[in-house]
Amino acid sequence: MQTGAQIAVVEDDPSVRMVVTDHLRLAGCEVHQYGDGETAWRAIESRMPDLLIVDRMLPGLDGDELCRRIRAVSNVPIIMLTALDGLAHRIDGLEQGADDYLAKPFSLRELQLRVNAQLRRAGSAAAFLEFTAGTFHVDPAHRRVWVGQREIALTTREYELFLYLVRNPDRVISREEILREVWRWDFGDASTVTVHVRRLREKIEPDPHFPTFLHTEWGAGYRFTTGTGRAC
């Protein structure tokens, strides 16, 4: 399973919700759980997760309507859970926008495999899609980055560092993790990261001495944010 993937579990049965949530968290996912569709929609409307697991028979805003609302704004993978097991019900669920359909009762192992498959597909498709993060616009297919209307000229390593940071917003990332994930080094001189962070700041920050986007968390690493607050 993709460690760190953000998953929303929308299920009105608290026992099912907790079992699924606990299982996914043990697998390394960051899970947010909701007991009804309206609460889930208000939360995910502002910040879409990497994948949703949605019970079809929700009180109030049901799973079908939740899927339709999500599909109007996002292609995020959706796995629908339901007690309605039958070909017509499965087809109907998929027509509402679900990517997969799992009937209750279900195996947690099967659910995990389906989550894995959906995350892999989404990752493969999303890897080259253009996206916007705050004032930044990124075109991964052509390895181009803009801040506002200005295109930034980045070296290969600067681009890879920027892409890793922008895809992990508001998270403190150690220099060791950056070496491992960007440089693919299990060990090495962490000052290499420091130098590249400084060079990257010179290109993306309005004032590199008072960063707006790429902050230093002393003794811990770096944190990228698309906000306007300033830090060291």
Side-chain angles (χ1 to χ4, degrees), residues 202-217:
E202 290 171 354
K203 295 183 178 183
I204 70 172
E205 297 286 359
D207 184 347
H209 299 292
F210 298 96
T212 298
F213 308 111
L214 182 46
H215 311 306
T216 298
E217 299 290 342

mmCIF file of all heavy atoms in Angstrom, residues 202-217:
data_model
loop_
_atom_site.group_PDB
_atom_site.id
_atom_site.type_symbol
_atom_site.label_atom_id
_atom_site.label_comp_id
_atom_site.label_asym_id
_atom_site.label_seq_id
_atom_site.Cartn_x
_atom_site.Cartn_y
_atom_site.Cartn_z
ATOM 1 N N GLU A 202 16.428 30.906 -4.148
ATOM 2 C CA GLU A 202 16.822 32.070 -4.947
ATOM 3 C C GLU A 202 15.962 32.207 -6.202
ATOM 4 O O GLU A 202 15.813 33.298 -6.736
ATOM 5 C CB GLU A 202 18.302 31.957 -5.332
ATOM 6 C CG GLU A 202 19.239 32.145 -4.140
ATOM 7 C CD GLU A 202 20.683 31.829 -4.479
ATOM 8 O OE1 GLU A 202 20.934 31.344 -5.621
ATOM 9 O OE2 GLU A 202 21.578 32.048 -3.631
ATOM 10 N N LYS A 203 15.365 31.101 -6.631
ATOM 11 C CA LYS A 203 14.571 31.126 -7.863
ATOM 12 C C LYS A 203 13.070 31.245 -7.613
ATOM 13 O O LYS A 203 12.348 31.785 -8.466
ATOM 14 C CB LYS A 203 14.865 29.865 -8.688
ATOM 15 C CG LYS A 203 16.305 29.800 -9.178
ATOM 16 C CD LYS A 203 16.549 28.594 -10.056
ATOM 17 C CE LYS A 203 17.986 28.585 -10.584
ATOM 18 N NZ LYS A 203 18.243 27.461 -11.506
ATOM 19 N N ILE A 204 12.583 30.739 -6.468
ATOM 20 C CA ILE A 204 11.128 30.735 -6.263
ATOM 21 C C ILE A 204 10.645 31.773 -5.254
ATOM 22 O O ILE A 204 9.458 32.115 -5.248
ATOM 23 C CB ILE A 204 10.623 29.340 -5.828
ATOM 24 C CG1 ILE A 204 11.080 29.005 -4.406
ATOM 25 C CG2 ILE A 204 11.039 28.268 -6.826
ATOM 26 C CD1 ILE A 204 10.460 27.736 -3.840
ATOM 27 N N GLU A 205 11.547 32.274 -4.407
ATOM 28 C CA GLU A 205 11.124 33.176 -3.340
ATOM 29 C C GLU A 205 11.207 34.642 -3.756
ATOM 30 O O GLU A 205 12.172 35.050 -4.401
ATOM 31 C CB GLU A 205 12.004 32.973 -2.098
ATOM 32 C CG GLU A 205 11.919 31.587 -1.467
ATOM 33 C CD GLU A 205 10.627 31.379 -0.704
ATOM 34 O OE1 GLU A 205 9.800 32.314 -0.643
ATOM 35 O OE2 GLU A 205 10.438 30.286 -0.161
ATOM 36 N N PRO A 206 10.220 35.458 -3.356
ATOM 37 C CA PRO A 206 10.326 36.910 -3.575
ATOM 38 C C PRO A 206 11.548 37.486 -2.856
ATOM 39 O O PRO A 206 12.229 38.355 -3.388
ATOM 40 C CB PRO A 206 9.022 37.450 -2.973
ATOM 41 C CG PRO A 206 8.078 36.302 -2.992
ATOM 42 C CD PRO A 206 8.921 35.084 -2.758
ATOM 43 N N ASP A 207 11.815 36.990 -1.639
ATOM 44 C CA ASP A 207 12.993 37.383 -0.872
ATOM 45 C C ASP A 207 13.569 36.123 -0.237
ATOM 46 O O ASP A 207 13.041 35.623 0.761
ATOM 47 C CB ASP A 207 12.628 38.400 0.208
ATOM 48 C CG ASP A 207 13.852 38.903 0.972
ATOM 49 O OD1 ASP A 207 14.944 38.282 0.843
ATOM 50 O OD2 ASP A 207 13.720 39.906 1.705
ATOM 51 N N PRO A 208 14.651 35.565 -0.809
ATOM 52 C CA PRO A 208 15.208 34.305 -0.303
ATOM 53 C C PRO A 208 15.620 34.360 1.164
ATOM 54 O O PRO A 208 15.682 33.318 1.830
ATOM 55 C CB PRO A 208 16.423 34.073 -1.206
ATOM 56 C CG PRO A 208 16.137 34.865 -2.442
ATOM 57 C CD PRO A 208 15.378 36.067 -1.979
ATOM 58 N N HIS A 209 15.913 35.556 1.687
ATOM 59 C CA HIS A 209 16.337 35.678 3.083
ATOM 60 C C HIS A 209 15.160 35.590 4.051
ATOM 61 O O HIS A 209 15.353 35.302 5.243
ATOM 62 C CB HIS A 209 17.091 37.000 3.281
ATOM 63 C CG HIS A 209 18.324 37.122 2.455
ATOM 64 N ND1 HIS A 209 19.451 36.348 2.664
ATOM 65 C CD2 HIS A 209 18.606 37.915 1.380
ATOM 66 C CE1 HIS A 209 20.376 36.660 1.778
ATOM 67 N NE2 HIS A 209 19.895 37.606 0.987
ATOM 68 N N PHE A 210 13.955 35.825 3.539
ATOM 69 C CA PHE A 210 12.735 35.711 4.347
ATOM 70 C C PHE A 210 11.730 34.875 3.558
ATOM 71 O O PHE A 210 10.809 35.414 2.939
ATOM 72 C CB PHE A 210 12.166 37.100 4.671
ATOM 73 C CG PHE A 210 13.096 37.947 5.487
ATOM 74 C CD1 PHE A 210 13.933 38.870 4.869
ATOM 75 C CD2 PHE A 210 13.142 37.816 6.871
ATOM 76 C CE1 PHE A 210 14.801 39.654 5.622
ATOM 77 C CE2 PHE A 210 14.005 38.597 7.627
ATOM 78 C CZ PHE A 210 14.837 39.511 7.001
ATOM 79 N N PRO A 211 11.909 33.547 3.557
ATOM 80 C CA PRO A 211 11.118 32.675 2.669
ATOM 81 C C PRO A 211 9.622 32.731 2.945
ATOM 82 O O PRO A 211 9.185 32.779 4.091
ATOM 83 C CB PRO A 211 11.672 31.273 2.983
ATOM 84 C CG PRO A 211 13.018 31.510 3.581
ATOM 85 C CD PRO A 211 12.907 32.790 4.342
ATOM 86 N N THR A 212 8.893 32.715 1.861
ATOM 87 C CA THR A 212 7.439 32.643 1.914
ATOM 88 C C THR A 212 6.954 31.211 1.743
ATOM 89 O O THR A 212 5.950 30.810 2.318
ATOM 90 C CB THR A 212 6.822 33.515 0.799
ATOM 91 O OG1 THR A 212 7.213 34.875 1.013
ATOM 92 C CG2 THR A 212 5.305 33.425 0.779
ATOM 93 N N PHE A 213 7.679 30.407 0.952
ATOM 94 C CA PHE A 213 7.224 29.076 0.581
ATOM 95 C C PHE A 213 8.042 27.940 1.207
ATOM 96 O O PHE A 213 7.479 26.974 1.709
ATOM 97 C CB PHE A 213 7.250 28.914 -0.947
ATOM 98 C CG PHE A 213 6.534 30.002 -1.673
ATOM 99 C CD1 PHE A 213 7.234 30.925 -2.437
ATOM 100 C CD2 PHE A 213 5.150 30.123 -1.592
ATOM 101 C CE1 PHE A 213 6.572 31.946 -3.110
ATOM 102 C CE2 PHE A 213 4.481 31.139 -2.262
ATOM 103 C CZ PHE A 213 5.192 32.053 -3.019
ATOM 104 N N LEU A 214 9.349 28.062 1.157
ATOM 105 C CA LEU A 214 10.220 26.971 1.581
ATOM 106 C C LEU A 214 10.895 27.340 2.900
ATOM 107 O O LEU A 214 11.874 28.076 2.934
ATOM 108 C CB LEU A 214 11.262 26.685 0.485
ATOM 109 C CG LEU A 214 12.252 25.539 0.718
ATOM 110 C CD1 LEU A 214 11.561 24.297 1.228
ATOM 111 C CD2 LEU A 214 13.012 25.254 -0.575
ATOM 112 N N HIS A 215 10.351 26.816 3.995
ATOM 113 C CA HIS A 215 10.782 27.199 5.330
ATOM 114 C C HIS A 215 11.748 26.187 5.933
ATOM 115 O O HIS A 215 11.658 24.988 5.661
ATOM 116 C CB HIS A 215 9.574 27.313 6.271
ATOM 117 C CG HIS A 215 8.457 28.129 5.713
ATOM 118 N ND1 HIS A 215 8.634 29.410 5.244
ATOM 119 C CD2 HIS A 215 7.142 27.847 5.554
ATOM 120 C CE1 HIS A 215 7.469 29.881 4.821
ATOM 121 N NE2 HIS A 215 6.561 28.954 4.982
ATOM 122 N N THR A 216 12.646 26.668 6.755
ATOM 123 C CA THR A 216 13.530 25.804 7.538
ATOM 124 C C THR A 216 12.892 25.538 8.897
ATOM 125 O O THR A 216 12.442 26.469 9.564
ATOM 126 C CB THR A 216 14.904 26.464 7.751
ATOM 127 O OG1 THR A 216 15.530 26.660 6.479
ATOM 128 C CG2 THR A 216 15.796 25.579 8.621
ATOM 129 N N GLU A 217 12.818 24.266 9.255
ATOM 130 C CA GLU A 217 12.385 23.870 10.597
ATOM 131 C C GLU A 217 13.654 23.419 11.313
ATOM 132 O O GLU A 217 14.148 22.314 11.090
ATOM 133 C CB GLU A 217 11.345 22.738 10.530
ATOM 134 C CG GLU A 217 10.073 23.096 9.791
ATOM 135 C CD GLU A 217 9.210 24.091 10.552
ATOM 136 O OE1 GLU A 217 9.425 24.227 11.783
ATOM 137 O OE2 GLU A 217 8.337 24.731 9.936
#
